[in-house]
C-alpha cells in the first residue's frame, strides 16, 4: 500500500450532502482533499430526493392555489397539469443548483475523482479497480438506496421507487403508496394536488409514526379532508400486475387497485461490496457503527450520512461532514446531539418537529415530570389569512426546559429555526414567552405556545 503521507490529508468516498460538506470544510481548514463520486456531486438529496420532491410539492401547491383561488376573491381558471412542463421546472431547479455546486468544488480546490470507489486499506480507496487514492484520513459517505420488501419487485414501470416517480411525464389516474412515512406521504400529498387519486398502505398504527401522535392525527385529519385514502395498521400481503395496472391485497383481504404502486418503505445504506467489512468495519444491518466522533472501528476511517445508524436526513449528513472535517483538523467540535436535528415532512399541511415527542419525553423523564401544551393555529392571524389549520405543541420538563417542539400547518416548516434554537439552547417556557415575535406571522404561534406553557396565555383556543 502507498504511504498515506504521500497522498491526501482526507479522502472522501461519496459526494452527497455529507461527503461534499466534509470536503469543503476540510479544504477551508487547509487540508488537501480528494472527493470520489460515482455519479454526480450532490448525491440523492439534490438529484433524486430533497430538492426535486420539494419542487414537485410546490407545483402541487400552485395547482391547489389555482383551484381554490375563488375563496380568496380571485377568479382564476385551472386548466390542468402539464406534467412534462412540471418535470422541466423541477429539472431546471436541480440543474441550477448542481451547476453552482460544481463551481464550489473548483473554488475549494477539491480534487474531484469520478468513479466507483472501494476501500482497500485503512488509508486507501481504489477507483474503478484501477487508481488507488491514499490519505491520512478516509471518510465514508456512500449514501442510501430505495429499499423494497419481499414480494415487491421494483420494475420502474408499474411498481416504482421514488427516483422513478420523479421522472414521470404522465400522471397515473390512481396511485397506491406502500409506506406511510415521510417519503410516502410527501408523494401522496404532491400527487393529490396534481390531480391523482391516492391510497396509502401503512403497516404501523399511524402515518408518520416517528412523529408525535398529535402530529400524526392532524395530518390524517387533513388527508381525509383532501380525499387521500389510507389504511394504517395493515401490511400488504401481495402485489399483482394486471392488464391495466396493479392490485394490492392487504391484511384482512382488502384489495386495492391502481395504475401503479410507489414503494416508499424507507432507504437502506449503500455499503455492500465496497470493502468495508474486509477492512475490519463490522456492519450492523448494513449500517456503519461509529463512536461519538463518527469514527469507525478502524482508526482514521470515519463515516457520515445515511450509512450511519439514525435518522436519514440530508442536513444531518451535512452537519456530520463538517463535524468530521473539524475533528480531523483538531478543532474539537461539540459532539452532535442527534435529537437536536430538525425534521420536516413537506406535505400539505407541513409537519415540523424538534427534540422528543411526548411519548419519548415521558419515557426519558417520567410521565409525571412532563408537561405539554397545544396552541391551536385558529388563534394565529397569519394562519387564518393562509386558511390553514394546525397547532404548535411544546413538550417540557416540569420546572425545566422545553425538550420537544411539534408543529403542523401550511408553511410551518419556516418556523423550525426557532424551534431548533429553543431545544438546543435548553430554553424554558418563560425564556421564549418574553421574546418578541413579529406580528402578523406564524412565528407568533411559537411565542403564544410558550406563553400558554408559562401560564400566561393571550390568544389560546381549545
Amino acid at each position: 500500500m502507498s504511504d498515506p503521507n504521500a497522498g491526501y490529508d482526507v479522502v472522501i468516498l461519496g459526494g452527497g450532502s455529507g461527503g461534499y460538506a466534509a470536503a469543503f470544510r476540510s479544504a477551508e481548514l487547509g487540508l488537501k482533499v480528494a472527493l470520489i463520486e460515482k455519479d454526480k456531486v450532490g448525491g440523492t438529496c439534490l438529484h433524486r430526493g430533497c430538492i426535486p420532491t420539494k419542487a414537485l410539492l410546490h407545483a402541487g401547491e400552485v395547482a391547489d392555489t389555482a383551484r381554490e383561488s375563488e375563496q380568496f376573491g380571485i377568479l382564476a381558471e385551472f386548466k390542468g397539469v402539464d406534467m412534462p412542463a412540471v418535470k422541466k421546472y423541477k429539472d431546471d431547479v436541480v440543474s441550477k443548483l448542481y451547476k453552482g455546486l460544481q463551481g464550489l468544488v473548483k473554488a475549494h480546490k477539491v480534487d474531484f475523482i469520478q468513479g466507483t470507489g472501494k476501500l482497500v486499506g485503512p488509508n486507501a480507496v481504489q477507483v474503478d479497480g484501477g487508481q488507488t487514492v491514499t490519505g491520512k484520513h478516509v471518510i465514508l459517505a456512500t449514501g442510501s438506496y430505495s429499499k423494497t420488501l419481499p414480494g415487491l419487485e421494483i420494475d420502474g414501470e408499474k411498481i416504482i421507487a421514488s427516483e422513478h416517480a420523479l421522472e414521470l411525464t404522465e400522471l397515473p389516474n390512481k396511485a397506491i403508496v406502500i409506506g406511510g412515512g415521510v417519503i410516502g406521504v410527501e408523494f401522496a400529498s404532491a400527487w393529490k394536488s396534481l390531480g391523482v387519486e391516492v391510497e396509502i398502505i401503512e403497516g404501523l398504527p399511524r402515518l408518520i409514526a416517528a412523529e408525535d401522535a398529535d402530529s400524526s392525527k392532524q395530518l390524517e385529519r387533513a388527508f381525509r379532508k383532501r380525499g387521500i385514502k389510507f389504511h394504517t395498521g395493515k401490511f400488504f400481503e401481495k402485489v399483482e400486475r394486471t392488464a391495466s395496472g396493479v392490485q394490492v391485497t392487504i391484511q384482512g383481504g382488502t384489495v386495492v387497485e391502481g395504475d401503479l404502486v410507489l414503494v416508499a418503505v424507507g432507504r437502506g445504506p449503500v455499503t455492500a461490496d465496497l470493502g468495508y467489512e474486509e477492512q475490519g468495519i463490522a456492519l450492523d444491518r448494513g449500517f456503519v457503527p461509529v463512536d461519538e466522533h463518527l469514527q469507525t472501528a478502524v482508526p482514521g476511517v470515519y463515516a457520515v450520512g445515511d450509512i450511519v445508524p439514525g435518522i436519514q436526513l440530508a442536513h444531518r449528513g451535512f452537519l456530520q461532514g463538517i463535524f468530521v472535517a473539524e475533528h480531523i483538523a483538531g478543532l474539537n467540535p461539540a459532539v452532535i446531539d442527534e435529537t437536536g436535528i430538525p425534521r420536516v415532512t413537506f406535505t400539505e399541511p407541513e409537519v415540523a418537529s424538534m427534540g422528543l415527542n411526548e411519548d419519548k419525553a415521558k419515557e426519558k423523564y417520567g410521565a409525571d415530570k412532563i408537561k405539554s401544551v397545544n396552541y391551536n393555529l385558529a388563534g394565529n392571524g397569519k394562519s387564518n389569512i393562509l386558511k390553514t389549520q394546525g397547532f404548535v405543541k411544546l413538550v417540557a420538563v416540569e420546572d425545566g426546559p422545553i425538550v420537544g417542539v411539534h408543529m403542523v400547518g401550511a408553511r410551518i416548516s419556516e418556523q423550525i429555526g426557532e424551534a431548533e434554537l429553543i431545544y438546543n439552547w435548553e430554553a424554558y417556557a418563560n425564556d421564549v414567552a418574553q421574546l418578541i415575535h413579529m406580528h402578523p406571522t406564524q412565528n407568533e404561534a411559537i411565542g403564544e405556545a410558550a406563553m400558554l406553557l408559562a401560564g400566561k396565555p393571550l390568544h389560546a383556543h381549545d
Side-chain angles (χ1 to χ4, degrees), residues 254-369:
T254 300
V255 175
V256 181
E257 296 185 346
D259 299 305
L260 59 77
V261 168
L262 170 65
V263 181
V265 294
R267 298 186 65 82
V270 176
T271 54
D273 303 320
L274 294 178
Y276 295 176
E277 291 180 292
E278 292 89 331
Q279 298 306 320
I281 300 172
L283 302 179
D284 179 6
R285 296 169 295 113
F287 291 94
V288 179
V290 293
D291 65 13
E292 65 178 5
H293 295 114
L294 299 171
Q295 183 159 320
T296 70
V298 179
V301 180
Y302 298 80
V304 300
D306 286 357
I307 63 172
V308 176
I311 192 166
Q312 293 173 310
L313 294 169
H315 50 279
R316 172 182 180 250
F318 188 84
L319 178 66
Q320 289 176 334
I322 294 171
F323 172 90
V324 170
E326 294 183 350
H327 179 74
I328 288 171
L331 298 186
N332 195 30
V335 171
I336 297 170
D337 174 9
E338 290 272 315
T339 312
I341 297 172
R343 307 173 296 276
V344 176
T345 303
F346 290 88
T347 42
E348 174 50 46
E350 293 177 341
V351 179
S353 61
M354 269 303 310
L356 301 172
N357 63 37
E358 187 166 0
D359 290 338
K360 293 291 185 183
K362 287 178 177 177
E363 285 178 21
K364 182 173 181 177
Y365 296 101
D368 60 332
K369 299 293 185 182

Side-chain angles (χ1 to χ4, degrees), residues 44-57:
T44 295
C45 176
L46 175 56
H47 300 285
R48 299 174 298 280
C50 325
I51 298 300
T53 55
K54 276 54 183 181
L56 193 67
L57 282 156

